Amino acid sequence: MTTTDLRVTPPRVVRMEWIKFWSLRSTIYTLAITALLTIGIGTLITSVISAADDGPGQDDFSDPAAISLNGVMLAALSIAALGVLMSTSEYASGMIRATLAAVPARLPVLWAKAIVFAAVSFVLMFATSMVAFLAGQAILSSRGFDSVTLADPGVFRAVVGAAVYLTGAGLIGLAVGALLRNTAGAITTVVGALFVAPILIQLLPASWNDAISPYLPSNAAGSFMAVEAASPSLSAWPGLAVFAGYVVVLLAGAAVLLRRRDA
């Protein structure tokens, strides 16, 4: 075996993180829970809303796609927790020392984790969002309400946006986990940022709420998931840019601290 055969390369680091990702007992369970929440809650809410409505007519739903994707926001909590665990589990077990000994440059480890997580999450979450959307529209159509198809303006983007939001929420969890190195603290921080902050911000004066609320991570991602932007939300592509900015900044912060701190 030559020295070249033992060289640390990006594909080998990605393969290492791939193996570790699937070796986590929580991976399959958490991904399954995320899928069930996305499909189950979306289907349930669509059924309840359509059953409670007086019937098709002038008050048909303005955004049928959004009704089908209602489960995404809660499902983000599950996949964000998985992202946290992908980072913090190694610190809890002490395996991070072996990992960094094998990859002294350190940063390839973080990038490999992000690549593996993003690839797996986006593929699975896109399929899940598609099922939730199709199931919801089938329910609306069966009860005589207006439904939409993927060919309608903005609808396919909304479905893709659901997968993007779930993937991004997981990457935020991964980055925060790498920053804090503590599972409980990281999950609490992510829950606060994605779910509690949008509720608390509504307690502020309306002018402050309108100025701040669209730029919160979950609201910015939500604007990309919406077929039609509602005031005071951002429009679709600026919303995506803001949400992506959070992910990039947090991963960059995690990279800086990974280089500077001891394992």
Side-chain angles (χ1 to χ4, degrees), residues 30 33-34 37 71-84 165-166 169-170 187-188 190-192 194-195:
T30 308
I33 290 171
T34 304
L37 288 172
V72 169
M73 291 300 177
L74 185 58
L77 174 60
S78 175
I79 200 165
L82 179 60
V84 168
Y165 175 53
L166 290 170
I187 290 178
T188 300
V190 172
V191 170
L194 294 181
F195 303 98

Side-chain angles (χ1 to χ4, degrees), residues 209-235:
N209 181 27
D210 292 347
I212 299 172
S213 180
Y215 297 93
L216 296 176
S218 54
N219 291 345
S223 65
F224 187 67
M225 289 170 51
V227 174
E228 295 183 7
S231 179
S233 300
L234 299 171
S235 55

Side-chain angles (χ1 to χ4, degrees), residues 95-110:
M95 186 185 292
I96 189 65
R97 296 184 184 90
T99 297
L100 297 182
V103 189
R106 295 194 171 201
L107 290 187
V109 173
L110 179 62

Side-chain angles (χ1 to χ4, degrees), residues 11-25 27 86 90 95 112-113 116-117 120:
R12 286 176 175 173
V13 179
V14 169
R15 177 175 171 75
M16 176 183 70
E17 291 302 327
W18 174 271
I19 294 171
K20 287 193 293 185
F21 179 69
W22 290 110
S23 68
L24 282 173
R25 287 180 296 179
T27 296
M86 190 173 181
E90 285 196 85
M95 186 185 292
K113 286 182 184 293
V116 169
F117 189 92
V120 172

Side-chain angles (χ1 to χ4, degrees), residues 21-239:
F21 179 69
W22 290 110
S23 68
L24 282 173
R25 287 180 296 179
S26 58
T27 296
I28 294 177
Y29 297 126
T30 308
L31 289 174
I33 290 171
T34 304
L36 287 173
L37 288 172
T38 303
I39 299 171
I41 292 179
T43 303
L44 177 63
I45 291 179
T46 303
S47 299
V48 170
I49 290 178
S50 59
D53 197 274
D54 292 334
Q58 295 181 347
D59 295 326
D60 272 8
F61 311 116
S62 59
D63 192 349
I67 297 175
S68 300
L69 299 173
N70 260 307
V72 169
M73 291 300 177
L74 185 58
L77 174 60
S78 175
I79 200 165
L82 179 60
V84 168
L85 289 172
M86 190 173 181
S87 289
T88 60
S89 61
E90 285 196 85
Y91 288 98
S93 65
M95 186 185 292
I96 189 65
R97 296 184 184 90
T99 297
L100 297 182
V103 189
R106 295 194 171 201
L107 290 187
V109 173
L110 179 62
W111 306 142
K113 286 182 184 293
I115 289 170
V116 169
F117 189 92
V120 172
S121 296
F122 182 78
V123 171
L124 294 180
M125 294 305 105
F126 176 71
T128 298
S129 301
M130 186 69 72
V131 171
F133 168 78
L134 294 175
Q137 298 313 299
I139 292 171
L140 292 177
S141 179
S142 68
R143 295 182 177 176
F145 291 95
D146 289 338
S147 59
V148 293
T149 68
L150 294 172
D152 290 321
V155 173
F156 184 71
R157 170 179 50 76
V159 176
V160 173
V164 168
Y165 175 53
L166 290 170
T167 302
L171 289 174
I172 288 174
L174 188 152
V176 173
L179 286 167
L180 300 183
R181 299 184 175 183
N182 178 274
T183 302
I187 290 178
T188 300
T189 301
V190 172
V191 170
L194 294 181
F195 303 98
V196 179
I199 297 173
L200 294 180
I201 208 74
Q202 296 179 13
L203 302 177
L204 297 175
S207 58
W208 291 24
N209 181 27
D210 292 347
I212 299 172
S213 180
Y215 297 93
L216 296 176
S218 54
N219 291 345
S223 65
F224 187 67
M225 289 170 51
V227 174
E228 295 183 7
S231 179
S233 300
L234 299 171
S235 55
W237 295 106

